[in-house]
Amino acid sequence: MTQTLALIEEATKKSGLIWVQGPTGPSRALWHVWHEGAAHLVGGPGEQPLADLGLADGARAAVTVRSKDKGGRLVTWHARVSELAARGEEWSAAVAELKGKRLNAPDAERIEERIEERWATECRVLRLEPEGSTVELPSGALTAQPLPTPAVTRMPMPAALPRLLRGRRRGRQG
């Protein structure tokens, strides 16, 4: 069991993203921080969308950890979800860690005061604690259909573009 927890902790600490599959909804990539034996994440308005995953206090989730350098799946572990009470001792400790990892916050100016206040009033801070010794190692291709999105792929590259780029390089060298 100790080796299993060490594997979960080390893999999750090193990964920038974890894939979380809650009781409902799709599996979603979420940024997190490992703190005091669990993955902590924040979601809500202006943050990660968590509403459709069913991550409520006492729920169970499957957490898949990817390799930071290769991007492949390393391990999947099962977690017990708990929502931390805003401004409580546990919440404050987790938020202190999460603030340091939050990139591009909408309230980046005076981040110390604003982000904590916004997270306390509008967002949820969740703790995903490893449960039992259940660990699944990767097997198979694990491909999945992408989630629907209004984003579109850009048009194909014009056929003449490679010739134009080659011509520019020759012009600069001469």
Side-chain angles (χ1 to χ4, degrees):
M1 175 104 169
T2 307
Q3 288 178 331
T4 301
L5 289 175
L7 170 66
I8 290 170
E9 180 176 351
E10 193 63 27
T12 308
K13 272 184 182 179
K14 289 187 176 186
S15 181
L17 291 173
I18 54 176
W19 289 86
V20 179
Q21 172 73 55
T24 62
S27 181
R28 178 162 292 137
L30 303 170
W31 68 273
H32 70 288
V33 67
W34 185 268
H35 176 67
E36 294 182 0
H40 290 78
L41 48 98
V42 62
E47 299 298 335
Q48 306 175 105
L50 300 176
D52 61 337
L53 298 179
L55 297 175
D57 205 27
R60 304 286 187 261
V63 178
T64 301
V65 181
R66 69 183 184 111
S67 165
K68 190 170 186 172
D69 58 344
K70 302 286 186 195
R73 183 175 112 167
L74 288 177
V75 66
T76 298
W77 49 276
H78 299 282
R80 184 178 64 251
V81 179
S82 56
E83 186 169 347
L84 303 181
R87 296 186 180 94
E89 190 176 316
E90 253 188 294
W91 183 89
S92 296
V95 165
E97 294 294 320
L98 286 162
K99 279 189 314 193
K101 299 292 183 185
R102 175 64 168 102
L103 303 175
N104 304 322
D107 43 10
E109 301 161 6
R110 291 186 13 221
I111 195 166
E112 295 297 319
E113 300 124 25
R114 286 187 184 174
I115 204 163
E116 280 188 39
E117 182 59 31
R118 186 168 55 84
W119 285 357
T121 58
E122 301 173 13
C123 297
R124 299 167 56 211
V125 176
L126 301 178
R127 175 183 170 89
L128 305 178
E129 186 174 353
E131 185 173 63
S133 61
T134 307
V135 173
E136 300 167 24
L137 298 174
S139 64
L142 304 171
T143 57
Q145 196 69 357
L147 295 173
T149 176
V152 295
T153 305
R154 65 180 188 178
M155 302 301 289
M157 181 172 63
L161 187 59
R163 277 194 317 270
L164 291 171
L165 293 175
R166 277 196 307 268
R168 279 190 191 164
R169 280 187 287 216
R170 270 191 257 131
R172 288 183 187 162
Q173 292 172 352

